[in-house]
Amino acid sequence: MNIDKNEAALALAAIDAAGARSTQLQRYRRFAPFLILWGVIWLLANSVSDLAPAQAGTVWLALTLLGATASWWLGWRQHTAVAEGSTSRTRLNQGWRWMLCFLVVVAFQVAAIAVLPPADGRQQDTFFSMFWTFLYMAIGAWTGWRLFTIGLAATLLILLGYYGVHSHYFLYMGCVSGGALMAGGLWLRRL
């Protein structure tokens, strides 16, 4: 059987497309547990902010530290799961880069609040929440439309709540922003 140049090029293009799709789905599956984890944290911390405002700062700090530790553990676990072959060194090098990026993001948020203090807790919560959802959209622009969609949906729900929900705003934020992340993580995990 002879195949011409065009048929071979089409076959190679189809193989490349399948490989790219497989890589994208693997990225989604690796990202899903992080969305679920942080969705639960947002749900819990925002609920405490609404139901026990005096403990909000302590709970946010504790859950953020717990989330950072759990995120590190998830990343480490994912690294060991794919540590065979040539990708292990690359993923190990990326690990410290992701940790550095996370620290830069946290430092930016601390600096932004120090320079431009919000007038109230609602503004502060909205700023932090939207910062992360815009970051999801930016990452989604590079990794796939589904992550972008999750960030966009969460951002729109946050803005809707900020302008439309006046009673139990933090409970709303926990349910919709945390819920959007958890639902998005479950959606990505199913792919």
Side-chain angles (χ1 to χ4, degrees):
M1 177 169 127
N2 292 330
I3 59 172
D4 66 20
K5 224 178 186 181
N6 289 338
E7 290 172 327
L10 286 173
L12 289 174
I15 291 169
D16 284 344
R21 177 78 174 137
S22 176
T23 299
Q24 182 184 47
L25 292 175
Q26 288 174 4
R27 283 186 189 133
Y28 282 152
R29 281 189 206 107
R30 283 194 307 264
F31 203 76
F34 296 96
L35 285 175
I36 294 167
L37 169 69
W38 286 99
V40 169
I41 288 171
W42 281 15
L43 174 64
L44 293 173
N46 273 303
S47 296
V48 169
S49 294
D50 193 78
L51 302 172
Q55 279 71 42
T58 304
V59 170
W60 269 105
L61 178 61
L63 288 175
T64 300
L65 292 174
L66 177 67
T69 303
S71 293
W72 176 84
W73 178 79
L74 283 169
W76 175 80
R77 199 175 106 198
Q78 287 179 1
H79 167 72
T80 58
V82 295
E84 298 160 4
S86 62
T87 60
S88 65
R89 189 75 192 144
T90 302
R91 293 199 38 89
L92 183 61
N93 289 339
Q94 290 177 357
W96 74 266
R97 292 175 195 270
W98 281 108
M99 181 58 77
L100 182 59
C101 286
F102 177 76
L103 293 173
V104 167
V105 165
V106 170
F108 168 79
Q109 289 181 335
V110 169
I113 293 299
V115 173
L116 303 168
D120 61 25
R122 283 171 49 102
Q123 285 179 325
Q124 187 173 9
D125 188 69
T126 301
F127 168 77
F128 282 125
S129 297
M130 284 196 335
F131 176 88
W132 289 105
T133 59
F134 273 87
L135 187 61
Y136 294 148
M137 286 189 283
I139 293 170
W142 291 98
T143 61
W145 68 271
R146 286 178 176 90
L147 190 56
F148 183 90
T149 302
I150 293 165
L152 180 61
T155 300
L156 294 174
L157 289 169
I158 290 166
L159 287 170
L160 176 69
Y162 183 76
Y163 289 107
V165 176
H166 302 288
S167 179
H168 299 290
Y169 167 78
F170 293 107
L171 196 54
Y172 168 87
M173 284 292 287
C175 291
V176 299
S177 59
L181 294 183
M182 288 185 284
L186 292 171
W187 179 37
L188 295 181
R189 202 170 100 187
R190 289 186 52 223
L191 299 175

